[in-house]
Every structure is written in C-alpha cells, then in structure tokens.
Amino acid sequence: MLMRSFFIMTLPLVLAACTDADSASSSGEKAVRDGASLYQQYCVVCHSSGAGGAPIVAKKNRLHWSHEVEEEGFDAIVREAINGVNAMPPRGGCVDCSDEEIRATVIHMLQLSGAK
C-alpha cells in the first residue's frame, strides 16, 4: 500500500520531467500542443490501466464517459482535469499545460472512448 501511494504521488513529477524544452516557437510564444500528444505524455499511464482509480479510456467504457458528460457536463470534466480529482493531480501533472491544451486533451480522451 505504501509503495502504491509513493507511485501515485511521484508519477506526476516523473512525467513532468519528460517535457520537451524546445516546444516554444522562435518568437518566444509557447507552441500549443495537441490533445493526442498530451494524452500520450501525461494521461495514458493511468487512463489506460485504471491506476489510482482513473477511469479507463477505451471504447468498452463509452457508456461511462458518455454518462459523465451527460451528468456532470463537459465543462465540469474539463474543470476536474484542470484542478485535479481524487488521485489525479492538477492538469494531470502537466504543470505547463494551458487550459486550452487540457480541454483539447479531454476532447481527445472522449473521442477515444467513443463518448456521445
């Protein structure tokens, strides 16, 4: 149990260390990353396995994700992704992700799950 808690607490730090320092454009503006690449970098570890109680992103869980959108609303899901929920840290551990990037990542996850 202690090892699992340690893993859940340190995972965001490990994932944050994997960011690409060259992602900014030459004009000094931060390049916007797409939801698919952010999902692969920050979210897939937990959302493909259910680690830490994360809902699994997959077509077989379409009803779960569709229900979440219906019951809570898309904006509420995005707020949870931004603020963190349960074992998930704010922004899924992507400390430099913008709200728009988080929103794009949530859309990508819903699309992968076939949510309606």
Side-chain angles (χ1 to χ4, degrees):
M1 181 69 171
L2 181 61
M3 188 59 133
R4 181 175 180 225
S5 296
F6 175 77
F7 176 76
I8 291 171
M9 299 301 284
T10 58
L11 180 63
L13 298 174
V14 171
L15 293 175
C18 296
T19 60
D20 182 6
D22 296 327
S23 65
S25 68
S26 60
S27 66
E29 292 180 16
K30 183 179 169 189
V32 176
R33 298 161 290 186
D34 70 318
S37 63
L38 291 171
Y39 173 75
Q40 286 300 317
Q41 187 171 2
Y42 294 98
C43 312
V44 75
V45 171
C46 294
H47 283 284
S48 66
S49 67
I56 295 175
V57 172
K59 296 280 187 200
K60 68 180 182 179
N61 286 345
R62 179 184 61 80
L63 293 177
H64 167 81
W65 288 101
S66 295
H67 177 76
E68 289 296 308
V69 172
E70 270 185 40
E71 290 296 312
E72 301 206 17
F74 175 72
D75 290 331
I77 295 170
V78 171
R79 274 193 307 277
E80 286 181 345
I82 290 170
N83 298 321
V85 62
N86 300 326
M88 185 181 83
R91 299 179 186 281
C94 181
V95 296
D96 66 340
C97 281
S98 69
D99 289 357
E100 294 78 25
E101 290 172 326
I102 298 297
R103 183 178 200 84
T105 305
V106 170
I107 289 170
H108 178 72
M109 292 170 68
L110 292 172
Q111 289 171 339
L112 287 177
S113 294
K116 303 282 179 193

